[in-house]
Amino acid sequence: MGAPKCDSPEEEIKRWLNHIALICLSEEFQNLKRELESLYVKSNVDNVRLIAFQDALYAFLAQQQDDDRGYQSRGC
């Protein structure tokens, strides 16, 4: 997703939105979000659901970016 493309800005935004939607609907994302919510409730964090969602999404996007870098560095 991070590689430059020749798409219009609207197409790029649509692609990112579709990608994020697929992440958010995945079982792995939902499990991580629930786990973070549980931890944050115990830690008395404000806005538990929102913060857990943001942190889970950030973790998935960061992991994918790391995976993409690893893939590119192998010359594939």
Side-chain angles (χ1 to χ4, degrees):
M1 290 297 298
K5 305 279 188 240
C6 296
D7 295 335
S8 72
E10 294 85 12
E11 290 170 336
E12 183 72 16
I13 290 169
K14 286 179 185 177
R15 189 167 51 254
W16 270 103
L17 289 174
N18 287 335
H19 179 69
I20 289 170
L22 289 174
I23 288 172
C24 294
L25 293 172
S26 73
E27 185 175 340
E28 295 87 3
F29 175 84
Q30 293 298 322
N31 289 339
L32 176 59
K33 185 177 69 72
R34 280 191 293 272
E35 183 178 339
L36 290 173
E37 287 173 354
S38 175
L39 291 171
Y40 294 167
V41 164
K42 293 175 186 174
S43 300
N44 294 319
V45 172
D46 291 333
N47 300 317
V48 168
R49 295 182 73 204
L50 176 63
I51 301 301
F53 177 86
Q54 290 173 339
D55 289 350
L57 182 56
Y58 179 79
F60 270 74
L61 292 172
Q63 178 63 49
Q64 179 159 17
Q65 190 174 31
D66 287 347
D67 292 348
D68 290 348
R69 283 189 195 130
Y71 180 76
Q72 290 172 356
S73 70
R74 289 191 299 271
C76 298

